[in-house]
């Protein structure tokens, strides 16, 4: 069809085709070439440049519907820079690729909204600005047509939000500035305030962005907060490329050119562009009644005060408030704090890897793991042997910066890589149902690893994979020896007990730089890589010795301790029975290996209290189809949580995600309340989740309010919550040392027989289990 054209008559510079199409212009041989005008029988017209029978160069396209394109065309495609105008008044001016908006462009919609920024495959993606016709404006990152990453939303009433977005909703850390000068520093989940934050009324002195980041637990300041925005993922969407006519006698359909790049969907944005000034927040008074006050009014009323408010939200509902005065640290105290921080850094045995050296260490980890996984994966699978364990079972490779016959060139320093027990860990990864390619891409991807602050006193360096699935922790030499020593028994234990709560290890490695500096590290699963937001984190050892956290130092990501836990949890009888059965098995294993000082890492996702449901109206979900054009973001009331709590339902494999995760392994659990059937949990606003041991376990949290807490400035608004629990046993590399106990007893006048570092393994395990049974998960009456 492209090369042989039939026409009924022929005159110089003019051809009439048998199907009624007409071309007038220059030719080369029998094909249009040069300048020309082509008119299709349906009324569509192209006038412009031609090359070998195809529209190529500058040209003007007119469709019968009234659409008009003026710009670059290549091979019959809208490709380059051009302007498309529609009869409804919308206009796109910018770059194109293969009939689709791609690159930088500006589009004015028929309802007067304007987007100006980067496009990809016909959708907003990259940096861009969106102006609604009512005066609201968003400036920031986009992905697949929705606000995603870092961005600033400005409302016409003067309010402003600067922070992270996901799928068109506020999601992550951010700062909300009210028109009257008040600020709220906190976190959001799916458009709702969720987690801890601080409210600074108008007139009060607020901290810098750097101090705000540190208060949330991001010790590296704003960069680490913003890095959380870029690590968010969106579900993929299929982009359909419609076919278009690209040569003589072929038509170009305007529907194939125009994409569904219309106005931002209200369904996807929901409350993300709603101003908080008109939203109502819940306050609980001693009388037990509730009153609704807007954040905006509250900020104005407290303009002359110097106090600030530490608040905690769950799905948009405030459940705790603490009033405190805000004062800056005295200069002497600040200097002392900085001096203490410097001393802490110097005392760390890994201080040499801070800054640029830490970046080199990260590159070394990625290079080594990529090499190890690539080398061991093709080896045929077999059962592990005795020779596969121990410090002699290892792969060693030197990585010169210039590369070698076996290693690629790299931008780090020369280093020596050592991979311990590669066959054992390869089998463990398969046992934990991890795909080798996904494991390698998660840790060794181009986006790198994120360094996170150490939650303990060990001075270890922690890295988090980009998708949050894996944690990499540096080890002491003694910890490396303990892990190698216990690895054969560990392998058999996790093989025999698929529901074990013990930490899942995926690799053990060592890097040697500059000939003598050694760094040992282990790759573990991240227990808090979950579908639900973790509101509280606890490290529970069953001890009272130094097991509390200074309230003034608690931030969003703090890991609290035993004495900080003010809840008791009630689970389904069968779930609780199975939990303690596995805890006993795991503790017996650790006891047999003379391990002490381990913890139960407990993560809690709270649901908004059920008793509020009668007081709140269901959310008004705007409909994109019926909403008037040009309405844009409104200042309607806050999107509220659904009216149902957590619900256990019979397990349906086809209705839940069964993809293996770094912390997920084992079969679904059975619930007594459903006739001992395998169960899933329905979470309002999220979906259906598979219940497994330590993962997605529903429970009820009962607040334990002491007299001291009742008289404090911190107010807990509710006593009972629905929670989803995540948990696992961590820190299993501390071996009992009888000699250390004897030395401790001799040196200490006030010897504490229950001090964590000197408790015998059997006593430690007994105390650990009793604490969980009596204080955390007490038996139901």
């Amino acid at each position: 069809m492209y090369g042989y054209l039939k026409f009924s008559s022929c005159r110089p510079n003019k051809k009439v085709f048998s199907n009624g199409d007409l071309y007038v212009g220059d030719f080369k041989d029998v094909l249009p070439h040069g300048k020309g005008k082509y008119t299709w029988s349906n009324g569509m017209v192209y006038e412009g440049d031609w090359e070998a029978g195809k529209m190529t160069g500058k040209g003007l396209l007119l469709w019968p519907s009234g659409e008009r394109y003026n710009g670059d065309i290549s091979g019959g495609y809208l490709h380059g820079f051009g302007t498309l105008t529609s009869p409804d008044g919308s206009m796109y001016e910018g770059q194109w690729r293969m009939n689709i908006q791609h690159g930088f462009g500006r589009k004015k919609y028929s309802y007067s909204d304007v987007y100006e920024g980067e496009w990809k495959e016909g959708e907003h993606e990259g940096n861009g600005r969106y102006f609604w016709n009512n005066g609201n404006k968003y400036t920031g990152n986009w992905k697949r047509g929705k606000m995603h990453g870092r961005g600033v939303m400005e409302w016409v009433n003067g309010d402003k939000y600067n922070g992270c977005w996901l799928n068109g909703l506020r999601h992550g850390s951010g700062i909300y500035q009210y028109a009257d000068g008040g600020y709220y520093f906190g976190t959001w989940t799916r458009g709702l305030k969720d987690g801890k934050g601080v409210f600074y009324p108008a007139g009060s002195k607020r901290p810098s962005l750097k101090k705000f980041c540190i208060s949330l637990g991001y010790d590296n300041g704003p960069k680490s907060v913003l890095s959380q925005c870029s690590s968010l993922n969106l579900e993929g969407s299929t982009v359909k490329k419609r076919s278009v006519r690209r040569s003589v006698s072929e038509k170009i359909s305007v529907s194939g050119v125009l994409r569904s790049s219309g106005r931002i969907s209200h369904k996807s944005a929901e409350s993300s562009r709603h101003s908080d000034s008109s939203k109502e927040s819940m306050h609980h008074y001693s009388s037990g009644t509730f009153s609704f006050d807007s954040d905006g009014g509250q900020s104005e009323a407290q303009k002359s005060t110097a106090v600030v408010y530490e608040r905690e939200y769950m799905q948009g509902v405030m459940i705790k408030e603490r009033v405190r005065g805000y004062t800056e640290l005295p200069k002497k105290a600040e200097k002392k704090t900085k001096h203490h921080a410097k001393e802490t850094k110097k005392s760390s045995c890994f201080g040499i890897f801070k800054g640029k050296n830490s970046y080199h260490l990260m590159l070394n980890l990625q290079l080594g793991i990529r090499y190890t996984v690539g080398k061991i994966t093709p080896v045929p699978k077999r059962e592990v042997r005795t020779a596969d364990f121990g410090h002699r079972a290892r792969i060693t490779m030197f990585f010169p910066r210039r590369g070698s016959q076996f290693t690629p060139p790299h931008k780090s320093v020369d280093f020596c890589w050592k991979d311990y027990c590669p066959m054992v860990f390869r089998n463990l990864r398969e046992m934990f149902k991890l795909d080798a390619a996904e494991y390698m891409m998660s840790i060794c991807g181009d986006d790198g690893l994120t360094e996170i602050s150490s939650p303990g006193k060990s001075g270890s360096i922690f890295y988090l994979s980009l998708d949050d699935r894996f944690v990499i922790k540096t080890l002491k030499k003694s910890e490396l020896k303990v892990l190698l020593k216990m690895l054969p028994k560990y392998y058999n234990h996790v093989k025999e007990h698929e529901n074990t709560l013990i930490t899942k290890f995926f690799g053990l490695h060592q890097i040697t730089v500059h000939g003598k500096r050694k760094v040992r590290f282990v790759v573990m699963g991240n227990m808090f890589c979950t579908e639900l937001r973790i509101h509280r984190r606890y490290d529970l050892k069953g001890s009272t010795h130094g097991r509390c956290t200074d309230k003034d130092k608690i931030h969003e990501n703090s890991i609290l301790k035993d004495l900080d836990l003010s809840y008791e949890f009630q689970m389904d009888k069968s779930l609780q029975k199975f939990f303690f059965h596995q805890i006993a098995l795991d503790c017996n294993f650790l006891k047999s290996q003379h391990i002490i000082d381990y913890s139960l890492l407990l993560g809690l996702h709270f649901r908004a209290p059920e008793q509020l449901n009668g007081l709140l109206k269901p959310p008004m979900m705007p409909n994109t189809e019926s909403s008037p054009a040009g309405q844009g973001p409104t200042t309607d009331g806050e999107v509220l949580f659904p009216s149902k709590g957590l619900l256990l339902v019979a397990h349906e494999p086809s209705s839940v995600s069964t993809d293996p995760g770094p912390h997920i392994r084992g079969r679904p659990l059975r619930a007594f309340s459903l006739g001992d059937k395998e169960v899933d949990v329905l979470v309002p606003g999220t979906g259906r989740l598979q219940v497994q041991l330590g993962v997605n376990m529903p429970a009820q949290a009962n607040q334990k309010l002491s007299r001291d807490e009742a008289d404090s400035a911190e107010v807990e608004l509710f006593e009972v919550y629905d929670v989803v629990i995540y948990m696992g046993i961590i820190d299993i590399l501390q071996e009992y040392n009888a000699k250390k106990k004897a030395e401790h007893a001799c040196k200490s006048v006030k010897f504490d027989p229950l001090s964590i570092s000197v408790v015998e393994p059997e006593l430690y395990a007994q105390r650990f289990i009793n604490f969980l049974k009596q204080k955390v998960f007490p038996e139901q009456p």
Side-chain angles (χ1 to χ4, degrees):
M1 188 175 188
Y2 296 160
Y4 300 96
L5 303 175
K6 293 178 107 179
F7 50 89
S8 56
S9 62
C10 180
R11 288 184 297 174
N13 299 328
K14 181 177 180 180
K15 285 186 180 181
V16 179
F17 297 90
S18 58
N19 60 2
D21 292 355
L22 172 66
Y23 173 77
V24 178
D26 299 333
F27 288 87
K28 183 177 182 181
D29 298 329
V30 295
L31 296 176
H33 188 88
K35 298 287 185 180
K37 180 178 180 180
Y38 195 103
T39 305
W40 283 265
S41 58
N42 69 344
M44 180 178 169
V45 177
Y46 169 76
E47 184 174 2
D49 297 332
W50 292 80
E51 185 176 319
K54 293 184 179 181
M55 298 176 289
T56 301
K58 300 283 185 180
L60 173 67
L61 269 169
L62 302 173
W63 283 269
S65 60
E67 270 82 10
R68 175 190 181 98
Y69 173 81
N70 191 352
D72 297 332
I73 297 181
S74 178
Y77 291 99
L78 311 189
H79 192 89
F81 186 88
T83 303
L84 180 70
T85 306
S86 301
D88 62 1
S90 63
M91 182 179 71
Y92 172 81
E93 183 179 11
Q95 295 175 312
W96 296 77
R97 187 176 74 175
M98 306 291 284
N99 286 348
I100 297 175
Q101 296 106 317
H102 190 94
F104 187 85
R106 182 181 188 274
K107 182 166 184 176
K108 180 179 180 181
Y109 296 88
S110 58
Y111 29 79
S112 300
D113 287 6
V114 176
Y115 172 77
E116 184 180 66
E118 296 175 322
W119 296 71
K120 183 177 180 181
E121 296 294 327
E123 294 179 312
H124 311 158
E125 182 150 342
N127 296 318
R129 296 185 296 173
Y130 196 100
F131 302 86
W132 283 267
N133 59 9
N134 64 355
N136 295 341
K137 181 178 72 171
Y138 171 82
T139 305
N141 294 327
W142 297 78
K143 190 168 186 178
R144 293 171 186 164
K146 296 179 181 180
M147 297 174 284
H148 171 90
R150 173 76 187 281
V152 179
M153 184 75 197
E154 299 177 61
W155 285 269
V156 68
N157 66 357
D159 286 7
K160 181 188 295 186
Y161 169 80
N162 185 341
C164 299
W165 298 76
L166 172 67
N167 207 26
L169 301 172
R170 285 171 282 184
H171 190 96
S173 304
I175 305 171
Y176 195 100
Q177 178 182 354
Y178 296 88
D180 66 356
Y183 280 80
Y184 177 76
F185 293 67
T187 55
W188 280 256
T189 299
R190 294 186 175 94
L192 301 178
K193 292 175 183 173
D194 200 24
K196 293 184 179 180
V198 182
F199 173 65
Y200 295 84
S204 61
K205 190 172 182 180
R206 57 186 179 274
S208 64
L209 178 60
K210 183 176 181 180
K211 288 185 178 180
F212 160 64
C213 299
I214 294 175
S215 72
L216 290 179
Y218 302 104
D219 294 340
N220 295 330
K223 291 183 179 179
S224 58
V225 174
L226 301 183
S227 69
Q228 303 300 315
C229 304
S230 61
S231 66
L232 303 175
N233 297 321
L234 291 175
E235 293 182 1
S237 59
T238 304
V239 177
K240 297 181 179 179
K241 296 184 179 180
R242 302 179 183 178
S243 60
V244 296
R245 308 289 183 173
R246 300 183 300 279
S247 63
V248 177
S249 79
E250 292 184 280
K251 301 174 184 177
I252 297 182
S253 169
V254 69
S255 64
V257 173
L258 294 175
R259 292 297 309 266
S260 57
S261 56
R263 186 161 173 262
I264 306 305
S265 168
H266 286 279
K267 291 182 179 179
S268 66
E270 296 179 353
S271 66
S272 63
R273 297 180 301 279
H274 297 170
S275 167
D276 277 358
S277 283
S278 62
K279 293 181 181 180
E280 295 176 332
S281 59
M282 192 74 70
H283 299 274
H284 186 266
Y285 293 93
S286 58
S287 62
T289 60
F290 294 91
S291 69
F292 291 86
D293 299 313
S294 69
D295 283 356
Q298 187 181 57
S299 180
E300 181 67 31
Q302 297 163 345
K303 190 170 184 178
S304 60
T305 66
V307 297
V308 297
Y309 298 83
E310 294 179 352
R311 293 175 175 173
E312 185 168 1
Y313 288 84
M314 292 176 189
Q315 294 89 53
V317 177
M318 189 175 74
I319 55 97
K320 182 182 288 188
E321 182 177 79
R322 180 189 179 199
V323 182
R324 66 172 172 85
Y326 177 74
T327 55
E328 292 284 352
L329 283 173
K331 290 185 178 179
K332 291 183 179 180
E334 191 173 353
K335 288 181 180 179
K336 186 177 180 180
T337 303
K338 291 181 178 179
H339 178 70
H340 177 71
K342 288 180 180 179
E343 288 183 348
T344 303
K345 286 185 177 182
K346 289 180 180 179
S347 64
S348 170
C349 58
F350 302 108
I352 57 170
F353 292 102
K354 295 296 181 182
K356 187 175 180 180
N357 288 332
S358 178
Y359 173 72
H360 287 161
L361 177 61
M362 181 193 73
L363 291 180
N364 296 347
L365 299 183
Q366 292 180 304
L367 286 166
I369 290 176
R370 187 183 292 117
Y371 172 82
T372 294
V373 176
K375 187 177 182 64
I376 197 67
T377 301
V379 177
K381 185 178 179 180
R382 61 171 175 80
E383 286 296 323
V384 294
R385 306 162 185 162
T386 304
D388 294 323
F389 296 95
H391 69 280
R392 294 184 180 277
R394 61 185 184 233
I395 295 175
T396 304
M397 179 58 63
F398 179 63
F399 282 76
R401 185 171 185 177
R402 294 183 178 181
S404 68
Q405 181 182 355
F406 305 102
T407 63
H410 56 86
K411 296 181 180 180
S412 182
V413 295
D414 296 352
F415 69 96
C416 185
W417 172 262
K418 189 177 291 185
D419 179 39
Y420 289 99
C421 308
M423 182 58 71
V424 175
F425 285 104
R426 175 254 180 91
N427 284 14
L428 282 174
R429 291 192 292 269
E430 292 185 356
M431 195 184 300
F432 296 144
K433 301 178 182 179
L434 287 181
D435 180 74
E438 291 182 3
Y439 175 72
M440 188 162 55
M441 287 303 299
S442 176
I443 297 177
C444 309
D446 294 335
D447 294 314
L449 304 171
T450 302
E451 184 178 347
I452 56 178
S453 59
S454 171
K457 300 178 181 180
S458 63
S460 298
I461 297 176
F462 287 80
Y463 289 102
L464 191 64
S465 64
L466 183 67
D467 55 8
D468 294 340
R469 297 179 67 192
F470 303 101
V471 175
I472 301 173
K473 176 189 176 183
T474 54
L475 298 177
K476 298 176 183 177
K477 185 177 181 180
S478 59
E479 293 174 321
L480 174 70
K481 289 182 177 180
V482 170
L483 182 52
L484 287 173
K485 180 180 177 182
M486 68 182 293
L487 191 57
K489 298 292 184 181
Y490 171 87
Y491 182 89
N492 292 332
H493 182 78
V494 298
K495 184 178 181 180
E496 182 179 353
H497 304 287
E498 63 175 356
N499 292 290
T500 180
L501 292 167
I502 291 178
T503 304
K504 294 172 177 56
F505 296 119
F506 304 115
L508 182 62
H509 316 286
Q510 177 178 291
I511 290 174
T512 305
V513 294
H514 306 304
K516 57 181 180 179
R517 295 176 178 175
K518 296 179 180 180
V519 183
R520 308 157 193 92
F521 60 93
V522 64
V523 183
M524 306 176 291
N526 179 15
M527 199 186 77
F528 293 148
C529 177
T530 63
E531 296 179 80
L532 301 176
R533 179 182 181 83
I534 303 298
H535 294 106
R536 302 276 177 85
R537 300 164 173 82
Y538 293 91
D539 181 286
L540 306 176
K541 293 182 182 291
S543 171
T544 59
H545 186 75
R547 300 298 294 166
C548 63
T549 308
D550 186 349
K551 288 188 176 181
D552 292 330
K553 296 181 179 180
I554 295 176
H555 50 67
E556 177 69 17
N557 294 319
S558 291
I559 297 181
L560 306 178
K561 299 178 182 178
D562 301 59
L563 295 178
D564 303 316
L565 184 65
S566 58
Y567 302 97
E568 289 180 347
F569 304 96
Q570 292 184 351
M571 292 190 292
D572 177 275
K573 289 183 179 180
S574 294
L575 298 184
Q576 186 167 350
K577 180 180 179 181
F578 193 73
F579 165 70
F580 278 114
H581 173 71
Q582 189 61 53
I583 280 286
L585 291 173
D586 290 339
C587 287
N588 284 336
F589 162 72
L590 296 173
K591 181 174 63 176
S592 70
Q593 300 301 303
H594 304 287
I595 302 298
I596 60 172
D597 201 20
Y598 46 86
S599 311
L600 181 75
L601 185 60
L602 180 70
L604 303 177
H605 170 81
F606 287 85
R607 302 304 296 176
E610 182 70 16
Q611 60 265 41
L612 291 180
N613 297 329
L615 301 173
L616 301 176
K617 296 180 180 179
M620 297 295 294
M621 295 298 181
N623 190 328
T624 308
E625 303 296 333
S626 60
S627 60
Q631 179 182 350
T634 64
T635 57
D636 295 337
E638 183 168 357
V639 177
L640 304 177
F641 53 87
S643 60
K644 294 184 179 180
L646 301 175
L647 181 65
L648 281 175
V649 294
H651 174 60
E652 293 183 7
S654 60
S655 301
V656 295
S657 173
T658 56
D659 294 336
H663 59 290
I664 298 176
R665 181 172 175 259
R667 59 186 180 276
L669 298 187
R670 298 177 181 272
F672 176 81
S673 57
L674 262 72
D676 210 32
K677 295 180 180 178
E678 293 184 343
V679 293
D680 300 329
V681 60
L682 290 179
V683 183
T686 300
R688 186 174 186 141
L689 304 175
Q690 184 178 2
V691 179
Q692 295 173 280
L693 190 61
V695 180
N696 300 326
M697 296 183 70
Q700 188 178 73
N702 299 311
Q703 172 78 10
K704 298 182 294 184
L705 187 63
S706 64
R707 292 182 179 179
D708 294 338
E709 290 173 329
D711 297 333
S712 69
E714 181 173 334
V715 180
E716 180 83 24
L717 300 183
F718 307 101
E719 296 181 358
V720 180
Y721 302 93
D722 284 334
V723 295
V724 181
I725 294 178
Y726 299 86
M727 52 189 167
I729 298 176
I730 62 170
D731 296 336
I732 64 169
L733 300 180
Q734 178 68 42
E735 193 172 28
Y736 171 70
N737 190 330
K739 183 179 179 181
K740 185 175 181 180
K741 178 180 179 179
E743 292 176 353
H744 187 94
C746 294
K747 293 180 181 179
S748 177
V749 178
K750 298 180 180 180
F751 173 63
D752 179 7
L754 294 182
S755 177
I756 291 175
S757 61
V758 296
V759 176
E760 295 179 355
E762 186 172 354
L763 178 60
Y764 189 92
Q766 181 182 351
R767 187 187 65 184
F768 181 72
I769 294 176
N770 289 341
F771 171 75
L772 296 179
K773 285 185 175 181
Q774 298 170 11
K775 302 295 185 181
V776 186
F777 302 102
E779 292 186 8
Q780 302 178 28

